[in-house]
Amino acid sequence: MTFVVFYRTPFETTEGFIEKYNQAQGCKEQEQYEHLAKQFLSRCKVLGFTSGGEGKHVDLPGAWTQLLLLSLCNGKVRNDSLDVLVVSLDHAPVDADQIPVLFHLAESAQYFLCSETTLLDQPCSYEMKMLQLGYLVSLRLFIFKLTGNLKGHQPSSIYLHSLKGLSQS
């Protein structure tokens, strides 16, 4: 009997990692996950943020997806990942390959705005960053709509319109 071992790259952010990070107890275990999260953030920066979002090594949609996942971590990692994501969305060149991940980011921002979380008179930094994320993603999607690049993405667009609760928020 032969067993095949599948190796996951240590630089891949997964829901499992997020869960383990948030449940880590004890200084040593928390430090270990904090160190891995910092490596993930560094990896995302290398995937295009340090070069202005251009070059052969750039994978903005992949990095944006990983940063969105990292924003589910508690504490400083959440703030750091949202900082990098917002800055990247603000400065990266606009490219049609980004459209699918932009719909995913828009859905996440819309879910946040429609959730039970109420925005206070003085929103915290996390809430402000999520609002910035929603604005920048909406702006990019609007640009793609104006240029006619959203024609092949009607199901995603219709899905966003079907989500309830945004008008009440």
Side-chain angles (χ1 to χ4, degrees):
M1 179 184 261
T2 306
F3 292 98
V4 177
V5 177
F6 292 99
Y7 177 72
R8 276 198 107 111
T9 173
F11 292 111
E12 188 174 332
T13 309
T14 64
E15 291 87 356
F17 171 79
I18 303 302
E19 186 177 322
K20 289 176 184 176
Y21 177 93
N22 288 335
Q23 293 177 354
Q25 296 180 1
C27 292
K28 189 149 185 105
E29 187 179 17
Q30 286 175 337
E31 283 179 23
Q32 178 186 17
Y33 283 108
E34 188 78 26
H35 179 70
L36 278 173
K38 286 179 183 177
Q39 284 182 327
F40 292 149
L41 279 170
S42 295
R43 174 77 171 145
C44 288
K45 289 176 185 178
V46 170
L47 289 175
F49 307 133
T50 56
S51 64
E54 298 183 46
K56 291 182 180 179
H57 68 285
V58 174
D59 179 17
L60 287 174
W64 288 346
T65 302
Q66 285 194 21
L67 287 167
L68 185 63
L69 276 170
L70 283 172
S71 74
L72 299 173
C73 288
N74 296 326
K76 187 172 176 2
V77 171
R78 172 172 49 189
N79 285 328
D80 291 348
S81 62
L82 284 173
D83 283 340
V84 174
L85 184 55
V86 166
V87 168
S88 175
L89 281 165
D90 195 26
H91 293 96
V94 177
D95 188 274
D97 291 342
Q98 302 165 356
I99 293 173
V101 76
L102 288 173
F103 275 114
H104 180 66
L105 292 171
E107 182 183 344
S108 298
Q110 190 170 1
Y111 177 78
F112 167 77
L113 291 171
C114 296
S115 70
E116 303 278 327
T117 307
T118 57
L119 294 174
L120 305 172
D121 292 335
Q122 296 288 323
C124 69
S125 68
Y126 170 70
E127 292 169 336
M128 289 300 296
K129 290 172 188 174
M130 287 301 291
L131 290 170
Q132 287 176 319
L133 173 75
Y135 169 75
L136 292 169
V137 168
S138 298
L139 185 61
R140 280 180 181 261
L141 286 172
F142 184 65
I143 290 168
F144 286 124
K145 180 176 175 71
L146 290 176
T147 59
N149 287 321
L150 290 183
K151 289 186 176 137
H153 299 278
Q154 285 304 105
S156 297
S157 182
I158 292 169
Y159 174 74
L160 280 180
H161 288 295
S162 72
L163 292 175
K164 304 290 184 214
L166 189 58
S167 60
Q168 289 106 11
S169 299

